[in-house]
Amino acid sequence: MENKKFYITTPIYYPSAEFHIGHCYTTIIADALARYKRLSGYDVFFQTGTDEHGQKIEKIATEKGLTPKEYVDPIIENAKDLWNKLGISYDYFIRTTDEDHCARVQKIFKMMYDKGDIYKGEYKGLYCTPCESFWTESQLDENGKCPDCHRDVHEVSEEAYFFKLSKYQDKLVKFYEDNPKFIQPESRKNEMLNNFIKPGLEDLCVSRTSFKWGIPVTFDEKHVIYVWIDALSNYITSLGYPDNLDDKFKKYWPADIHLVGKEIVRFHTIIWPCMLMSLGIDLPKQVFGHGWLIVDGGKISKSLGNYKDPRDYINSYGVDAVRYYALREVPFGNDGNFSEDLLIARTNADLVNTLGNLVNRTLAMSKKYFSSVVENPKVYESIDDNLISYAKMLPSLVDNKVNSLKVNEALEDIFELLKRSNKYIDDTTPWVLAKDESKTDRLKTVLYNLLESIRISTILLRAFIPGTTERIFNMLNTKKIEFTDLDFGTLEEGITLNESEILFNRIETK
Ligand SMILES: [Zn+2]
């Protein structure tokens, strides 16, 4: 029997500035998957957090006359407030400045050193003296100068510790072969193999002496641990590793999905697995590198400043309009476009016209014809088949799509049932049936079929737009809201529906 647990992570975000809609996108998908798995009966651990060390934050803080911690603390409070407003149901928020994380990272570093996988060497880099920053060739501006101040850089070297990435190259290739689903989408696997692994992995610089804002190396205190071992370890230090292996670590590791943006797939599918091999523990089951949310055709960028505070969208359109848009608009593994106009169009078309309209029409007819009492005399006609057969098939359709991370397609499938239901109203013409007393039982059946389609769709939408689905269940006055209640015909007979209310207001555009 497979252990019914599910451990999902977002990347830990770098709080050098306030979070934007791109951070929201990754976190909303992770939340939807976490909620879906909880509803499916899994014991879920959903983790997000922040990666707070490093030269960049040290520098910004110094410029503002703050300590790095003083600089990041309000950004993190603000991020938590944003996650709260977006309904992000994380189980744990890790900060790499947490004391227990720092102590565990120091132990991990020492374990890898003792094993002979970390050694002292010399780091050569391009250095900008006024900025006190190292750069790689590819980070320089178009004139080969410092990307920050555009002054000359010069080559310097400093003592540094290195991790023997090269030692694990063959084992890593073998792991990819044995675990074909490890990297999703598939295309990213070939990119990793051809661009990075086959040319040969170089050992990785894992400490620095040129800045101070990091976790000190315990046995050589002028060094701080440079990004990789500090940041990537968050996925296991939060579970207690290496101090306590019997509790959360035993229960949740290995991670089922690391959800990451495509720009950091490399770190999660090359560096992270090699670190874990060095520690001798299991590798995560899957790394999913999703595309970016592009704002009005361009990448979201702090320096371009082409984004609003995501709370502005929530305040204007409602949290579920934002969640739905983010989940619906971005195709599996590709980039999606974020634009306020598209958000409005999507909200009006799907949430107002299709979902809201169906619920309100159905409840209004039930009230008008039967005082909102639900009955099913089972007077079926062949026109019902198309609706009912699709509704019966839908749960497994959605389950397959969600489990292969095709969330946008899962939503498309659910909305297909809602669209068919609207069409079913037009085809069965309940207002005509209502005029003929001999058709009363048929009319009850038609309304029951519609309510069932709404109820089933709503159960399947719970992970995606949780606030809205709760309101619909309230209107339906049903207790059959779990994944175990997805069979068509489960809606209780004899219940009385509650007053219908407007789920989404049409957004007027100029
Ligand atoms: Zn500079």
Side-chain angles (χ1 to χ4, degrees):
M1 261 292 276
E2 202 197 347
N3 180 15
K4 289 258 278 182
K5 68 87 187 170
F6 186 73
Y7 178 25
I8 182 168
T9 67
T10 73
I12 47 172
Y13 304 115
Y14 199 62
S16 58
E18 298 294 342
F19 290 5
H20 55 63
I21 197 77
H23 298 101
C24 295
Y25 167 59
T26 311
T27 312
I28 291 169
I29 306 185
D31 180 68
L33 295 170
R35 285 176 184 267
Y36 189 90
K37 286 292 184 179
R38 283 190 204 111
L39 290 165
S40 306
Y42 284 74
D43 178 350
V44 170
F45 194 70
F46 167 26
Q47 176 167 308
T48 188
T50 41
D51 169 19
E52 302 178 19
H53 292 121
Q55 184 177 271
K56 189 170 171 186
I57 281 174
E58 183 179 71
K59 200 177 138 207
I60 300 171
T62 307
E63 282 164 9
K64 293 186 184 290
L66 300 169
T67 66
K69 192 78 166 41
E70 284 168 346
Y71 173 71
V72 296
D73 277 348
I75 295 177
I76 284 143
E77 279 319 299
N78 218 2
K80 286 184 176 174
D81 172 69
L82 177 59
W83 295 161
N84 186 30
K85 291 199 163 66
L86 275 173
I88 305 301
S89 62
Y90 61 82
D91 296 294
Y92 194 69
F93 190 109
I94 190 166
R95 299 181 58 172
T96 56
T97 49
D98 292 340
E99 268 175 45
D100 53 357
H101 172 76
C102 294
R104 286 167 187 163
V105 165
Q106 287 178 321
K107 286 180 193 164
I108 289 170
F109 196 93
K110 183 72 165 39
M111 286 158 76
M112 292 163 80
Y113 178 77
D114 288 344
K115 198 180 173 188
D117 282 352
I118 286 178
Y119 62 91
K120 196 184 264 187
E122 201 175 51
Y123 176 76
K124 285 198 184 70
L126 299 162
Y127 194 69
C128 173
T129 311
C131 292
E132 297 176 32
S133 299
F134 274 100
W135 304 105
T136 63
E137 201 82 46
S138 62
Q139 287 173 318
L140 299 179
D141 72 8
E142 59 272 27
N143 301 315
K145 302 198 187 244
C146 171
D148 269 3
C149 71
H150 306 288
R151 283 182 277 210
D152 287 335
V153 294
H154 55 282
E155 196 171 277
V156 294
S157 60
E158 65 173 38
E159 179 188 284
Y161 285 95
F162 285 81
F163 170 59
K164 284 185 184 169
L165 208 53
S166 53
K167 175 178 165 185
Y168 293 100
Q169 171 154 346
D170 295 341
K171 272 181 91 170
L172 186 62
V173 172
K174 174 87 169 52
F175 178 78
Y176 282 12
E177 282 165 5
D178 295 343
N179 298 275
K181 296 214 165 222
F182 175 60
I183 306 179
Q184 291 293 313
E186 187 90 13
S187 59
R188 305 218 193 277
K189 176 167 89 181
N190 301 327
E191 190 186 328
M192 293 306 124
L193 275 171
N194 297 330
N195 297 0
F196 300 108
I197 300 175
K198 284 185 184 152
L201 290 176
E202 279 178 41
D203 290 349
L204 187 72
C205 180
V206 290
S207 83
R208 290 296 170 82
T209 56
S210 55
F211 62 90
K212 286 279 153 265
W213 180 231
I215 303 173
V217 174
T218 46
F219 51 89
D220 195 350
E221 291 229 332
K222 70 175 185 289
H223 287 261
V224 294
I225 295 168
Y226 177 69
V227 61
W228 315 113
I229 294 177
D230 174 7
L232 291 164
S233 298
N234 89 85
Y235 302 126
I236 51 176
T237 60
S238 62
L239 302 179
Y241 187 90
D243 294 332
N244 176 2
L245 309 183
D246 294 331
D247 184 19
K248 284 201 285 182
F249 183 79
K250 186 176 178 185
K251 190 163 168 193
Y252 294 114
W253 191 258
D256 294 83
I257 297 180
H258 291 313
L259 198 64
V260 299
K262 62 183 177 183
E263 76 284 6
I264 54 171
V265 168
R266 179 156 65 103
F267 313 143
H268 286 80
T269 58
I270 297 177
I271 299 174
W272 179 226
C274 293
M275 279 174 55
L276 292 168
M277 287 179 196
S278 174
L279 295 169
I281 60 181
D282 287 343
L283 270 51
K285 292 183 190 164
Q286 193 165 79
V287 175
F288 176 60
H290 63 70
W292 286 323
L293 207 51
I294 309 278
V295 170
D296 288 325
K299 187 174 186 268
I300 303 168
S301 140
K302 286 166 195 168
S303 54
L304 291 174
N306 59 355
Y307 60 89
K308 284 199 208 175
D309 184 325
R311 273 164 284 227
D312 292 347
Y313 301 116
I314 300 172
N315 292 337
S316 301
Y317 309 119
V319 55
D320 281 347
V322 175
R323 285 178 65 103
Y324 179 75
Y325 177 80
L327 294 165
R328 177 66 183 78
E329 205 63 26
V330 183
F332 177 70
N334 295 328
D335 292 339
N337 195 28
F338 186 90
S339 103
E340 204 160 343
D341 289 344
L342 285 173
L343 187 154
I344 291 170
R346 190 55 91 181
T347 303
N348 283 341
D350 292 4
L351 299 177
V352 178
N353 289 355
T354 304
L355 174 61
N357 198 22
L358 173 67
V359 172
N360 290 318
R361 278 169 98 187
T362 305
L363 266 65
M365 290 189 289
S366 177
K367 184 178 180 185
K368 185 173 174 189
Y369 304 135
F370 302 112
S371 310
S372 301
V373 176
V374 175
E375 283 179 274
N376 181 19
K378 298 191 172 77
V379 181
Y380 294 110
E381 291 183 8
S382 59
I383 197 169
D384 303 346
D385 294 348
N386 180 277
L387 185 75
I388 295 175
S389 63
Y390 186 79
K392 285 181 172 171
M393 190 172 72
L394 185 61
S396 68
L397 214 56
V398 169
D399 202 54
N400 285 333
K401 295 278 173 67
V402 173
N403 286 324
S404 49
L405 304 169
K406 294 176 178 166
V407 170
N408 66 311
E409 293 181 23
L411 285 171
E412 214 177 324
D413 292 341
I414 298 169
F415 272 75
E416 173 63 24
L417 179 59
L418 299 170
K419 283 180 194 162
R420 286 189 192 205
S421 302
N422 275 317
K423 183 162 188 306
Y424 181 77
I425 296 177
D426 300 338
D427 292 345
T428 54
T429 57
W431 49 92
V432 177
L433 297 175
K435 287 182 187 142
D436 182 348
E437 254 178 53
S438 73
K439 297 284 188 188
T440 301
D441 282 354
R442 171 62 187 155
L443 179 56
K444 285 177 180 168
T445 303
V446 165
L447 292 179
Y448 186 86
N449 290 342
L450 286 166
L451 289 166
E452 266 308 65
S453 299
I454 292 170
R455 188 185 64 87
I456 289 166
S457 309
T458 306
I459 293 175
L460 294 171
L461 285 169
R462 280 181 75 183
F464 309 113
I465 47 173
T468 302
T469 55
E470 206 166 300
R471 291 172 66 201
I472 299 174
F473 288 136
N474 228 339
M475 290 187 237
L476 294 181
N477 194 24
T478 176
K479 294 190 167 58
K480 303 292 183 184
I481 65 170
E482 301 299 333
F483 278 17
T484 46
D485 302 319
L486 280 165
D487 285 342
F488 198 97
T490 303
L491 181 65
E492 308 95 319
E493 286 190 73
I495 54 169
T496 305
L497 306 172
N498 287 319
E499 271 313 300
S500 95
E501 46 171 305
I502 302 294
L503 289 170
F504 294 92
N505 287 306
R506 167 169 298 282
I507 305 164
E508 299 302 338
T509 49
K510 284 146 236 147

